[in-house]
Amino acid sequence: MENLTDSRPAIPAGQPHDSKTARDALQSLWRSLDMPDESMDYIDLSGAEPVLPSSFAVGTAAQTSMAAAALAAAELWHLRGGARQRVALDMLHAAQECRSYFTLDGVAPDVHDKITGVYPCGDGGWVRIHANFAHHRDGALALLGCPTGPETSRQAVEQALSRWRALDFEEQAAQAGLVVTAMRSFDEWDRHPQGLALAGQPVLSVERIGEADPRPLPRYGHDARPLKDIRVLDLTRIIAGPVCGRALAAYGADVMLVNSPHLPNIETIAETSRGKLSVHADLETAEGRIALSNLLRSAHLFVQGYRPGALAALGFGPEEVARMRPGIVYVSLSAYGDSGPWARRRGFDSLVQTATGFNHAEARAAGSLAPKPMPVQILDHASGYLMAFGAQVALARQATEGGSWHVRVSLAQTARWLRSLGRVPGGLQCRMPPIEPFLESGPSGFGQMAAVRHAAQFSLTPARWVRPSVPPGTHPTVWPFS
């Protein structure tokens, strides 16, 4: 495990670097999925790095991933008979949307447990513990020999970890099904078996997994949004997957968030549920599986963020869903990809940042010994928009070529893509900009909500959320009439 012994900033201001422009990055994504070059003539990207305090191109990643999703929506609109329209996206606005900021009745919820965070270990390494769910917190505390429950202090955790090696605690936690990672440098991650398993893989993949006749998308009048009457089953939690569903809802889809009545959620569900229907279905029961199967019969997209293999064990893996609903577009999100020794390992944005080298690299750029996170959970948000991009590309392919399709995105592969965008000299000297100019407010099922309005601007079919966010289980498990 590499220690932070060099306190010099790794990227001094003014030093040449190899960062890509947002347009270059977008064109690379667009062409990677064989989308038409003509569409690139209709995208307007404004702004430049840095927009947030980071040595990484977080603004470019936000703008590019969001632009890919929005431009794919415009392309679907054109496929449905609409005129080509312009899509405009400002980098600062896109980055602000990735901050997950919102208030309910004027109060910004606290979404972090006090135990969540980074800790030094006895061997000089560092670990990050994710404890925002009580069962993850108590599991980590039990492994450390600390009293479980919210009363345990960070000091008690620090003292316990002083007796551990960072990699040993990471491995023991993983075996216990907990969410902990040790901090690595980029070089260490690149040599790690999971880093090697991801090397050379695409940012996202779109694969045909079954045969089905094409289902041409119906045409509508000029005032309809691109995804009108497209039905999306959203079986995701936390941030990345819900961001995908939220984007599709902004572009006109009927998105139904499917929650288990027994699984906990975090407070950000209020913000990421904008535009969605919300139902309960317990897939551990026959009743819940029947309810999901009934919804699936008329769905176009099935979006899920379970660990690889978990839904297949319940009868809803990609091949099973494609047999039940030929022509489905199945979208899978994972933490570390679907191959390699960490394929089934749990993970969240902050943990993947730590494991794959970003906290180490950001710390070196800041001249710090302690791990330093990026200013937003950019792996989550960029992954969510990449999911929406891939989903719409596959939807277009289904409508023209037929087939059932599987789209795969992972936080770790998004991390590799972010690295490819280069570094931002002097980026850490950027101040966090005010978010208030980007907020919109309105009623929700959680209270009066203020949150960032969607950054992608369409010249003909403005993006918007028609349905207010509501608590899980608010709606019945049936699709609304068109």
Side-chain angles (χ1 to χ4, degrees):
M1 180 64 59
E2 180 178 337
N3 292 323
L4 291 173
T5 57
D6 186 352
S7 62
R8 294 172 297 174
I11 307 179
Q15 179 174 312
H17 60 110
D18 60 351
S19 62
K20 288 185 178 180
T21 68
R23 179 167 286 277
D24 288 341
L26 175 60
Q27 187 166 65
S28 179
L29 278 178
W30 197 249
R31 288 178 172 174
S32 73
L33 295 187
D34 298 320
M35 295 297 280
D37 281 340
E38 182 184 0
S39 302
M40 288 294 299
D41 296 333
Y42 291 84
I43 184 76
D44 299 312
L45 302 176
S46 59
E49 297 281 12
V51 292
L52 297 180
S54 178
S55 69
F56 290 95
V58 292
T60 302
Q63 185 182 40
T64 301
S65 57
M66 197 179 299
L71 196 59
E75 186 62 28
L76 275 174
W77 177 238
H78 181 59
L79 182 64
R80 300 178 82 163
R84 286 201 180 274
Q85 60 177 311
R86 302 205 69 79
V87 177
L89 199 60
D90 178 70
M91 184 180 291
L92 175 57
H93 192 166
Q96 294 281 34
E97 192 169 342
C98 294
R99 286 175 63 179
S100 296
Y101 177 88
F102 68 104
T103 63
L104 294 174
D105 297 326
V107 178
D110 183 6
V111 300
H112 297 294
D113 186 272
K114 66 181 180 181
I115 298 300
T116 292
V118 293
Y119 297 87
C121 293
D123 63 343
W126 293 78
V127 293
R128 180 178 293 278
I129 298 175
H130 191 283
N132 292 345
F133 290 133
H135 64 292
H136 288 159
R137 178 200 64 212
D138 290 346
L141 293 174
L143 181 60
L144 289 168
C146 296
T148 58
E151 296 78 18
T152 300
S153 67
R154 287 185 61 89
Q155 290 73 23
V157 175
E158 289 175 358
Q159 184 175 4
L161 281 168
S162 69
R163 299 187 291 271
W164 282 81
R165 293 179 66 251
L167 292 178
D168 289 344
F169 185 64
E170 174 190 72
E171 182 58 30
Q172 290 294 317
Q175 291 181 14
L178 305 173
V179 275
V180 172
T181 54
M183 184 179 70
R184 292 171 173 80
S185 67
F186 283 148
D187 286 343
E188 288 172 327
W189 176 250
D190 290 344
R191 296 193 301 267
H192 188 275
Q194 191 61 34
L196 293 171
L198 295 175
Q201 292 188 14
V203 181
L204 72 162
S205 63
V206 179
E207 176 189 7
R208 186 170 180 146
I209 59 169
E211 296 305 314
D213 293 333
R215 224 175 4 247
L217 300 172
R219 300 189 175 204
Y220 293 104
H222 67 279
D223 58 339
R225 287 176 295 162
L227 299 186
K228 178 177 171 58
D229 290 339
I230 298 300
R231 291 177 169 178
V232 182
L233 287 169
D234 181 356
L235 281 76
T236 67
R237 298 164 65 228
I238 319 303
I239 296 177
V243 163
C244 168
R246 187 186 65 188
L248 298 174
Y251 305 150
D254 287 317
V255 179
M256 182 177 286
L257 179 63
V258 182
N259 259 277
S260 167
H262 306 300
L263 290 178
N265 287 289
I266 60 175
E267 286 82 352
T268 53
I269 191 173
E271 191 270 333
T272 58
S273 293
R274 285 182 287 172
K276 302 179 185 180
L277 303 159
S278 189
V279 307
H280 273 153
D282 183 358
L283 301 187
E284 298 288 346
T285 68
E287 182 182 10
R289 292 191 293 272
I290 291 170
L292 183 59
S293 297
N294 289 336
L295 292 168
L296 182 59
R297 289 196 183 105
S298 59
H300 300 85
L301 302 176
F302 185 100
V303 183
Q304 64 92 14
Y306 286 73
R307 284 182 299 150
L311 271 186
L314 296 171
F316 293 95
E319 289 77 16
E320 292 85 358
V321 167
R323 284 194 292 270
M324 285 188 277
R325 172 60 164 160
I328 195 72
V329 172
Y330 190 105
V331 184
S332 294
L333 169 71
S334 63
Y336 296 102
D338 58 358
S339 63
W342 282 20
R344 294 180 179 270
R345 190 165 290 197
R346 291 178 172 87
F348 300 101
D349 178 300
S350 57
L351 294 156
V352 177
Q353 282 192 39
T354 303
T356 61
F358 282 92
N359 288 180
H360 176 272
E362 194 81 295
R364 287 179 65 91
S368 171
L369 292 177
K372 184 174 177 58
M374 289 182 282
V376 292
Q377 291 183 296
I378 189 60
L379 304 184
D380 266 338
H381 287 270
S383 293
Y385 289 112
L386 291 173
M387 292 167 70
F389 170 47
Q392 293 174 103
V393 169
L395 191 61
R397 291 185 185 178
Q398 204 295 319
T400 55
E401 305 172 23
S404 300
W405 297 84
H406 189 193
V407 178
R408 287 179 288 182
V409 174
S410 74
L411 299 180
Q413 202 63 357
T414 298
R416 287 184 63 87
W417 174 68
L418 177 59
R419 279 176 66 180
S420 77
L421 300 180
R423 304 291 287 276
V424 180
L428 285 167
Q429 281 68 58
C430 176
R431 293 188 177 186
M432 185 65 82
I435 202 167
E436 287 74 17
F438 302 93
L439 299 180
E440 61 182 8
S441 62
S444 80
F446 301 88
Q448 186 72 11
M449 179 185 295
V452 177
R453 63 186 179 273
H454 191 47
Q457 304 295 311
F458 293 74
S459 61
L460 297 178
T461 61
R464 64 188 186 278
W465 291 293
V466 175
R467 297 183 173 103
S469 66
V470 292
T474 295
H475 296 104
T477 52
V478 293
W479 291 109
F481 290 108
S482 301

